[in-house]
Amino acid sequence: MRKWSLMLSVLLVVSLAGCGGRETEREAITLPMGYVADVQFSPIYMGLERGYFQEAGYDITLDYRWETDGLRLVAAGTLPFTIASGDQVIQARSQGLPVVAIASWYRKFPVAIVSLADIPLDTPADLRGLRIGTPETFGASYIGLRALLAAGGLTEKDIELQVIGYSQIPALLTETVDAVVVYANNTPSVLEEEGIAYHILYVADYAELVSNVLVTNETMIREHPERVAAFVKAFLQSLAEVLEDPDAAFEVCKKYITGLEENAAAQRAVLETTLTYWQAPDLGHFTPEAWATAQQVMLEAGLITQPVPVESLFTNQFVQP
């Protein structure tokens, strides 16, 4: 009995040491989000709440800094991962920064142009002569605008472009502009909640572009592929579960988004719309065509001066076939 008791004691110590080892092996990292806390980040929240990122070896602190800051930190090796839009990855690579997209998040580009009911928008050609408000003359909103103009055979000379920041709805209602560039998974839901009639042109109906992605750097891919694979796996598992169970996802969001319950109906509508931009039979996969199209739009807009090899922008090696 003493012999067996001793052996069990040794096994218990070894077992506890192993558990403690796994605990200490987790790496504390900061993950730049690129925007304020929002239901669009529900896959990240779900992964944290259900422990998938912890199982992957990461203790994550969320940092809602600008995505350009996150890209610079990842490029320098200060942080291992960030969330960024495809256009920012293209711009960073064109500047020689060694960042690489490792998993697709949005399968459809979530930008649109909206006008009120008295200004019809049936095709991109209807944008001619309009006063159009855009948050900035860079980033996903501007890329989407340029893509729609090209689809209508137009250029910026054919419209009156105004930089209005993120005050799209007030700008529309006060008739400061005729139409505004918006995120299609957000502003239309708000307008519907307020009972405001509108017309809309979706960029995704006219051009395949790259939206939000997960990003790392070349060193991580080369020297720590297992760490990258674990992070991507945790994210994609979380994304799949959000798509399967939006009710659970919305409940998880309440823990991470201050005041969400006070505006629950509108935000739930935003989440439901956003899900349609994530759905795909092959979650996480990239298509070279989307990157090539996005880069061409950026070249024509003067946002980059020369193209980079499309295959350097992304990899599908960490996504299950």
Side-chain angles (χ1 to χ4, degrees), residues 77-88:
T78 304
L79 295 178
F81 307 107
T82 192
I83 297 168
S85 58
D87 62 280
Q88 292 294 331

Side-chain angles (χ1 to χ4, degrees), residues 128-141:
R128 184 185 299 275
L130 297 185
R131 299 170 299 162
I132 299 178
T134 183
E136 298 287 354
T137 52
F138 59 84
S141 295

